[in-house]
Amino acid sequence: MPVLRWIRRNLVVLAGLLTLAYMILPNVVVMVFSFNRPKGRFNYAWQEFSLDAWKDPCGVADLCGSLSLSLRIAFWATAGATVLGTMIAFALVRYRFRARGAVNSLIFLPMAMPEVVMAASLLTLFLNMGAELGFWTVLIAHIMFCLSFVVTAVKARVMSMDPRLEEAARDLYAGPVQTFVRVTLPIAAPGIAAGALLAFALSFDDFIITNFNAGSTVTFPMFVWGSAQRGTPVQINVIGTAMFVIAVAVVLAGQSVANRRKSDAGK
Amino acid sequence: MSTTKAPPAHPVEAEVRKPSTRRRLVPYWLLLPGILWLLVFFALPMVYQASTSVQTGSLEKGFEVTWHFRTYWDALTDYYPQFVRSLLYAGTATLLCLLLGYPLAYLIAFKAGRWRNLVLVLVVAPFFTSFLIRTLAWKTILADGGAVVDALSTLHVLDVTAWLGWTENNRVLATPMAVVCGLTYNFLPFMILPLYTSLERIDGRLHEAAGDLYATPATTFRKVTLPLSMPGVVSGTLLTFIPASGDYVNAELLGSADTKMVGSVIQTQFLRVLDYPTAAALSFILMAVVLLVVTVYIRRSGTEDLV
């Protein structure tokens, strides 16, 4: 049986492709149902083809407001976490100092903690301080949990960096600032970019921590959560589809730039 | 460095030392803002939560620290089904993630060739589409009378799963199977990426060497690939199990009242019932259980230099 033999030889590939299909399937469903005209409040069953939602993505009350709020929070959270995280990563890789172990555990712990535990404890802090829940408390929370991921991403890159390049720059009479801006930063940039991208995605998509600390402020994930109870507008699928397409395009574009640089360097 | 060994009273020495102390302080200045942020908004809240868990009182009269440890006992006896369920669902989802994720990670690392980048993008892209929207899509996929449920029913899979208690009444939605399916789906990237990184580091020549020594592909996998990928297996398992055990979104969206997980209870106690001590105690118990499971697991798998 040649067919069976072929299947046996390519078992890993087939299993991998099945997993990939499992991962992509919901995205396909989201995409297909963005062209649906549902009967009733919920968009779970296919009725008929329509472009209504694509023509008017902001046609639902509060949807685009929550979207822009989430984008703003994700932007500032990314900026904050990337700056603070990069500084910590450089300190950890480049310097020997006391309390290194303690700092490492403090970085690791937020990642080793179920989100709901952090969300609840942060809420007890805010309640005790009498802080008003909203934009600022969400932003504080997002910077907190994105920080560790940025540190990990940047650390990985800086660790694989050859310190002799910086020595060479100094030997060529570059000052500390010049060395950092012209040599260190460009080499660390891919790690910083990866950390920032991860922070943006984590912050934009976070539901649990946001839900605890947002008060009556509604971010995009919270809007989707609410709509699961009240009725899901098709526009949610439109935005989900657009996000998927934009993300794939951005990542592919980034990779093709990196590839071109690599081939240029090879010449 | 030789200058520091000069006689201490020498006047030049003091001038030389100044910049060197400043240099020694550089790492601390770099750490200060970020570490302060984590101390104030991560560590300090844990202290507040610990104090909240031993308070008694009500929202109207206010809460007071009374060292009332019974709250822990009551929380545990009242909600142990949700605890057990959380660990069970998270454990099952982690195992499924490993079984599903390993072939895909292997495919990307060794077989994808020039498609590698595209496949990686397809693994990471779901991060960027709201996971709530994708979880809601599972409602459509697993809908009663939908293609998936029909197929499983025709193949008599649902009879087996119903016998095991995973599904009921020929439906998948609102059953444990739907929740575990959603959890597995949502945390798969967290399993695949670490697996891929550790597989990618393996030198392909080791596989050739094993083949030259007459190892079958299965033996090569068991004796070479799998042991070398253990760091990825361990960190992937942790990255899946920990968030899955605290998740309540999948249980709420895809499950029913009988599939509630402990995160859901914490959320309800905190945000709706406003019984802060019980909620804080529950969240501490969850943290303790997770840390315990993780510590034991790391010890047993013998890779402590993960962090």
Side-chain angles (χ1 to χ4, degrees):
Chain A
M1 288 291 266
V3 179
L4 272 180
R5 205 182 310 142
W6 185 85
I7 289 179
R8 260 191 67 177
R9 204 177 312 137
N10 293 293
L11 204 59
V12 181
V13 176
L14 287 174
L17 288 178
L18 277 178
T19 305
L20 198 61
Y22 176 69
M23 297 186 73
I24 303 296
L25 182 64
N27 287 88
V28 175
V29 169
V30 169
M31 208 177 281
V32 169
F33 275 73
S34 71
F35 298 107
N36 189 21
R37 179 177 288 148
K39 261 187 231 158
R41 291 180 300 145
F42 290 97
N43 184 21
Y44 297 143
W46 181 258
Q47 301 292 340
E48 59 173 314
F49 181 85
S50 142
L51 282 172
D52 292 354
W54 280 93
K55 281 182 203 144
D56 187 17
C58 283
V60 188
D62 303 333
L63 184 136
C64 283
S66 69
L67 193 64
S68 92
L69 176 68
S70 274
L71 286 172
R72 263 183 297 149
I73 290 174
F75 176 80
W76 290 115
T78 305
T82 306
V83 171
L84 299 181
T86 304
M87 284 163 69
I88 294 179
F90 268 98
L92 282 174
V93 178
R94 281 303 164 79
Y95 297 90
R96 299 278 162 268
F97 53 89
R98 268 184 288 165
R100 235 170 139 260
V103 169
N104 265 321
S105 337
L106 190 63
I107 300 295
F108 175 68
L109 270 174
M111 294 190 286
M113 194 78 57
E115 255 191 282
V116 70
V117 175
M118 283 192 282
S121 65
L122 203 53
L123 179 61
T124 58
L125 175 82
F126 288 141
L127 287 174
N128 274 294
M129 293 191 334
E132 198 182 322
L133 298 178
F135 180 86
W136 291 105
T137 50
V138 173
L139 183 58
I140 285 170
H142 282 202
I143 293 179
M144 183 270 286
F145 77 78
C146 290
L147 197 51
S148 304
F149 289 93
V150 175
V151 174
T152 318
V154 180
K155 229 172 92 178
R157 177 78 191 181
V158 179
M159 256 181 344
S160 66
M161 214 165 122
D162 193 341
R164 281 173 301 183
L165 292 171
E166 285 160 311
E167 279 166 34
R170 252 172 269 137
D171 288 347
L172 295 166
Y173 297 103
V177 177
Q178 215 176 354
T179 310
F180 183 77
V181 174
R182 305 281 293 265
V183 178
T184 316
L185 211 53
I187 301 176
I192 299 174
L197 212 57
L198 191 60
F200 190 88
L202 287 172
S203 163
F204 187 81
D205 212 15
D206 181 75
F207 173 71
I208 295 180
I209 290 184
T210 314
N211 190 31
F212 270 77
N213 295 293
S216 56
T217 315
V218 178
T219 64
F220 183 65
M222 288 170 75
F223 180 86
V224 178
W225 173 261
S227 77
Q229 265 99 43
R230 291 189 312 267
T232 44
V234 188
Q235 277 80 355
I236 283 181
N237 292 51
V238 171
I239 288 163
T241 307
M243 274 155 68
F244 181 72
V245 172
I246 293 171
V248 172
V250 166
V251 178
L252 283 180
Q255 275 182 346
S256 81
V257 168
N259 280 346
R260 195 173 308 150
R261 260 203 214 132
K262 222 180 274 168
S263 63
D264 280 353
K267 265 176 213 165
Chain B
M1 273 296 137
S2 60
T3 44
T4 46
K5 280 178 188 163
H10 207 274
V12 181
E13 220 268 321
E15 275 185 39
V16 175
R17 194 183 269 166
K18 239 188 201 163
S20 89
T21 23
R22 211 192 290 158
R23 278 209 63 167
R24 241 182 297 135
L25 283 176
V26 168
Y28 297 103
W29 285 116
L30 282 173
L31 288 170
L32 189 71
I35 293 304
L36 213 57
W37 200 279
L38 283 181
L39 284 176
V40 175
F41 298 116
F42 175 76
L44 187 63
M46 293 292 163
V47 177
Y48 270 103
Q49 176 145 286
S51 116
T52 306
S53 70
V54 290
Q55 290 174 350
T56 45
S58 64
L59 202 61
E60 297 84 46
K61 291 177 198 148
F63 292 94
E64 222 176 307
V65 178
T66 49
W67 301 104
H68 189 263
F69 282 107
R70 247 198 93 89
T71 314
Y72 278 88
W73 178 248
D74 292 342
L76 207 53
T77 47
D78 286 351
Y79 297 109
Y80 80 89
Q82 283 87 341
F83 268 110
V84 174
R85 218 176 274 145
S86 294
L87 297 177
L88 210 62
Y89 289 178
T92 315
T94 308
L95 196 66
L96 284 173
C97 278
L98 187 59
L99 292 177
L100 290 173
Y102 207 105
L104 184 52
Y106 192 93
L107 171 86
I108 306 172
F110 297 122
K111 308 255 173 177
R114 61 202 186 88
W115 299 104
R116 180 190 272 196
N117 282 347
L118 183 69
V119 182
L120 264 179
V121 169
L122 289 178
V123 170
V124 183
F127 269 119
F128 294 86
T129 325
S130 178
F131 85 101
L132 280 165
I133 300 182
R134 287 178 286 120
T135 309
L136 283 176
W138 280 103
K139 268 192 139 130
T140 307
I141 300 168
L142 299 176
D144 303 338
V148 174
V149 173
D150 277 353
L152 291 177
S153 175
T154 319
L155 293 169
H156 294 283
V157 175
L158 286 188
D159 296 339
V160 181
T161 52
W163 181 73
L164 288 167
W166 296 349
T167 58
E168 20 182 298
N169 307 331
N170 238 2
R171 62 186 306 220
V172 175
L173 264 190
T175 66
M177 190 159 130
V179 178
V180 170
C181 173
L183 284 171
T184 308
Y185 166 75
N186 270 317
F187 295 108
L188 249 176
F190 294 93
M191 178 65 86
I192 292 174
L193 293 178
L195 276 178
Y196 162 69
T197 350
S198 71
L199 282 172
E200 197 218 358
R201 279 197 205 121
I202 299 176
D203 191 335
R205 283 173 297 184
L206 289 173
H207 291 150
E208 287 165 27
D212 290 347
L213 296 166
Y214 297 105
T216 60
T219 317
T220 308
F221 176 75
R222 205 158 40 86
K223 298 250 171 163
V224 179
T225 317
L226 189 61
L228 286 173
S229 68
M230 269 325 269
V233 173
V234 173
S235 55
T237 312
L238 294 179
L239 280 174
T240 330
F241 179 76
I242 296 169
S245 62
D247 180 84
Y248 58 88
V249 174
N250 288 283
E252 291 272 325
L253 291 183
L254 302 173
S256 66
D258 297 329
T259 61
K260 276 209 191 304
M261 292 168 73
V262 67
S264 193
V265 181
I266 297 176
Q267 194 237 20
T268 314
Q269 293 291 325
F270 244 119
L271 301 181
R272 283 204 218 126
V273 185
L274 304 178
D275 180 355
Y276 299 134
T278 303
L282 278 170
S283 129
F284 253 100
I285 298 170
L286 174 65
M287 184 176 89
V289 171
V290 167
L291 284 182
L292 189 76
V293 171
V294 167
T295 318
V296 170
Y297 176 74
I298 293 182
R299 282 274 159 73
R300 296 214 45 184
S301 55
T303 31
E304 282 175 65
D305 49 2
L306 267 175
V307 201

